[in-house]
Structure formats: C-alpha cells, structure tokens
Amino acid sequence: MLEEALEAIRKAPDLEALKALRARYLGKKGLLTQEMKALSQLPLEARKERGQRLNAWKEALEKALARREAELEEEALRRALEKERLDVSLPGVALFAGGLHPITLMERELVGIFRALGYEAVEGPEVESEFFNFDALNIPEHHPARDMWDTFWLEGKARVRGPLGEEAEGRLLLRTHTSPMQVRYMVAHTPPFRIVVPGRVFRFEQTDATHEAVFHQLEGLVVGEGITMAHLKGAIYELAQALFGPDSKVRFQPVYFPFVEPGAQFALWWPEGGKWLELGGAGMVHPKVFQAVDAYRQRLGLPPAYQGVTGFAFGLGVERLAMLRYGIPDIRYFFGGRLKFLEQFRGIL
C-alpha cells in the first residue's frame, strides 16, 4: 500500500487531486486510518510491530504530501507569473488627466495677485441671512437699492450661524454678492486688515450669453487708520498691472452702491484688446456699515472696534475676466459641463 500511495502522490497533477489522496489514505475513513483502527484486534506483540510500521507509513505519507503540495504551489505561482508577466520595455499607456475648471484657474490667479500684496483669502457661507446680506450693508427692508439684487429667498427651518457661532438674524437667502463677508469678518476681527473673498453668488436673472443665475465674485476689503481712495486706486492699479502688464491703465467713474460712499465703477485698459473693460464696483466703506458692525459686536458683548477707522471695498466678476483671458464667447459654457470645452484647459496651472 505504501509504495502505491507514494507513487500516486508523486504523480498528483494538481492540488485538488492531492487533497483527494490525503483523504483517501489519511482521512477519517482513509485506508491507513482503518488499518490503525484494526490494531486493537491483534495480539500485543503483533500490535506493537504493526503499529510501528503504520506510524512509519503515516510519517512517510505526510512528508510526501507536504513535498508535493509545495511543488504544485510553486508550479501554480510560476504559471500565474508567466501569464501576468509585464514587459516593462513596452511604451506606457497615457491615462486620462483631469484639469482645473477655467473659473478655478481665474479665481486662483486673482487670489494669488492679492496675496502677493499682503491680503488674506477668506470664504463665507453661500446660504446667508438677510441681516448680513442686506441690513448690515445699509440696505434695509423696502430700500429701493434691493431692486439691484434679484434674490433667491429660502423657506424652511434651516439656520445660519453668525461669525462667532451665534444664530444669525433675518430671513434666509442665497447670497446675492460676496459683500456679507465684509460684515462677518469685521465682527470677528479688529483692524487693521486686508482680505479678499472669492466665492459663488446667486441672482434670479434671465440667462443669456453674458448673464447667469449663478456666478463668481472676488470681494476685497481693507480697513485701518488713514485708508483713502488713493489706497483703493493703488490696489486696482496693481491688479491691472498683474493681469494685463505695464501698459494697462485704470479708470474710475462715480456710481451708487449703498454700502460705500463715495462709490465708483472701475475699468481696466486691456492693451491687447485695445479697449476699456468695466470690471467691478468699489468705494470707501460707508460709515453706516461700521456702525452696524459695532452695534452687532456690542450685542455679542464685544467692544466697538470701528470708530475712527476708514476702509475701502471692491468687487469684481470672475467669469468676465475668464471669458477675456480664454476667449470664451458665452458665460453659459462655464456651467454646461461639456467635456470638449473643459478639456481645453487641461494642463493649465
């Protein structure tokens, strides 16, 4: 029996066959197991001699099974490696590489320009309260200036937190501009400071090639002692130089915004295009905005911090600049999600 078993084990073609041989000889009902159970029927001397021989057979079978199992596993591994072999000398396959959205590219460029001038970039909530979006910015309810912002009002029990975690006042809306962050930042900080606020804003407008209900702005705010319109002009001039080079110029025209006084519309001279670009609004922070901030701080138990300071603010549209920078004729392309459009910006950093 032993020679027959050893030969069968040596010729086992795979692990399944080897498993069957183990069960045949060493399993609970295996041949060797049955022989060992029959030992009790033999006389003492014969039982001892027979038992020693069967134990030797069992040891030989177990060694043969282990040896053949190792051989079969090695052979299986060799076949798998051969099948999965990778020729590293072959040319690689280029994987699809994503890219940044053109709005993100333009926004990062603008933030980078102002960071180089010492500004800090901060962000605020897109769901805002009526107080921060309008009231604190000198646009109380029924003020005719609210007609300038076609607002998405929200219903429900959602809550918006103020700059220090308190529950914000007023009805909820989708922010119509990034200017609420002026008030939020001033409540939580004391001057002097310089910040820019990039972000998405929402207005209930009819969409066309130059208007969208969702778009992006970059807000700027500088507050401290002795801040004047000259500082504002200097900031916009540095922006123009960084965007369009040394031949660029800046132009300011008077305009009304309720949260600045005086207010101005600024334009940049685009040398390559040979024309002025109306880019955004700006002005000196209205005293009533500072008063609203200090009143809010006092309600929170904070001392007033905006008496005797001045500041300027500005805001510009990111999409308009991106359309000029990349030659995009329709603002709706930014939000269409078409891969052929977005793939043009792959690799731009």
Side-chain angles (χ1 to χ4, degrees):
M1 181 185 72
L2 178 61
E3 293 300 327
E4 177 187 347
L6 293 174
E7 182 66 16
I9 292 171
R10 187 179 64 81
K11 293 183 177 180
D14 52 44
L15 291 172
E16 285 298 319
L18 194 66
K19 183 178 178 181
L21 287 172
R22 182 185 294 276
R24 179 181 177 186
Y25 292 107
L26 300 179
K28 290 183 178 181
K29 297 181 179 181
L31 297 177
L32 187 59
T33 305
Q34 296 303 319
E35 289 286 341
M36 298 187 77
K37 287 181 179 180
L39 287 175
S40 60
Q41 301 174 8
L42 298 176
L44 183 59
E45 288 299 325
R47 186 190 315 165
K48 182 178 180 181
E49 180 184 348
R50 181 69 172 168
Q52 289 176 348
R53 186 183 306 165
L54 292 177
N55 282 332
W57 288 4
K58 182 180 180 182
E59 184 179 353
L61 289 173
E62 288 177 341
K63 287 183 178 179
L65 286 166
R67 183 167 54 250
R68 184 58 180 159
E69 182 178 12
E71 292 173 353
L72 290 171
E73 287 178 347
E74 184 179 352
E75 185 178 342
L77 177 60
R78 186 169 56 252
R79 286 199 300 267
L81 291 176
E82 182 63 28
K83 183 179 180 181
E84 299 172 7
R85 184 167 61 93
L86 177 65
D87 186 352
V88 296
S89 66
L90 291 174
V93 178
L95 299 177
F96 175 81
L100 294 176
H101 193 278
I103 293 297
T104 303
L105 292 169
M106 194 71 249
E107 192 175 84
R108 287 189 177 185
E109 182 178 351
L110 291 170
V111 170
I113 290 170
F114 284 103
R115 275 187 172 147
L117 296 174
Y119 287 66
E120 177 189 2
V122 298
E123 296 183 354
E126 294 178 351
V127 176
E128 189 55 277
S129 77
E130 182 179 17
F131 174 78
F132 290 114
N133 197 84
F134 288 127
D135 296 343
L137 291 171
N138 196 31
I139 317 174
E141 191 173 6
H142 306 307
H143 192 293
R146 284 205 185 188
D147 294 339
M148 298 166 61
W149 291 271
D150 299 315
T151 308
F152 286 102
W153 295 96
L154 303 180
E155 296 179 354
K157 298 181 179 180
R159 292 290 181 267
V160 172
R161 294 294 173 185
L164 299 180
E166 75 284 1
E167 187 170 317
E169 305 172 7
R171 294 176 292 171
L172 298 186
L173 50 87
L174 294 178
R175 66 180 180 185
T176 59
H177 46 182
T178 47
S179 301
M181 270 305 292
Q182 291 186 31
V183 180
R184 284 179 169 272
Y185 194 87
M186 284 193 283
V187 167
H189 300 80
T190 57
F193 54 75
R194 287 174 284 184
I195 63 168
V196 285
V197 186
R200 186 168 54 174
V201 299
F202 309 83
R203 293 186 192 173
F204 188 59
E205 293 186 355
Q206 182 69 37
T207 61
D208 56 32
T210 57
H211 297 85
E212 255 290 359
V214 182
F215 55 99
H216 295 75
Q217 286 186 339
L218 184 83
E219 188 86 11
L221 176 66
V222 175
V223 178
E225 293 185 4
I227 300 297
T228 68
M229 281 289 288
H231 295 103
L232 169 60
K233 291 181 177 180
I236 302 302
Y237 175 79
E238 292 296 332
L239 171 66
Q241 295 289 293
L243 285 174
F244 301 128
D247 294 331
S248 181
K249 295 177 287 187
V250 177
R251 182 178 69 188
F252 285 79
Q253 293 177 305
V255 72
Y256 170 75
F257 295 109
F259 38 87
V260 291
E261 179 59 40
Q265 189 83 22
F266 64 89
L268 309 185
W269 175 254
W270 180 27
E272 184 179 345
K275 60 181 180 180
W276 288 98
L277 306 175
E278 298 289 344
L279 205 58
M284 300 300 294
V285 177
H286 200 292
K288 287 190 175 182
V289 175
F290 287 141
Q291 292 170 13
V293 169
D294 272 340
Y296 194 90
R297 284 174 58 88
Q298 287 181 303
R299 289 200 297 273
L300 297 178
L302 299 173
Y306 290 89
Q307 298 173 358
V309 298
T310 55
F312 68 76
F314 61 85
L316 57 92
V318 178
E319 276 84 352
R320 178 160 174 74
L321 270 176
M323 291 170 74
L324 293 168
R325 171 60 54 85
Y326 303 119
I328 299 169
D330 194 319
I331 193 173
R332 292 169 290 192
Y333 290 0
F334 291 123
F335 306 101
R338 295 184 60 188
L339 284 179
K340 286 190 176 297
F341 170 72
L342 297 174
E343 285 172 354
Q344 301 175 76
F345 305 95
R346 194 188 306 167
I348 301 177
L349 298 177

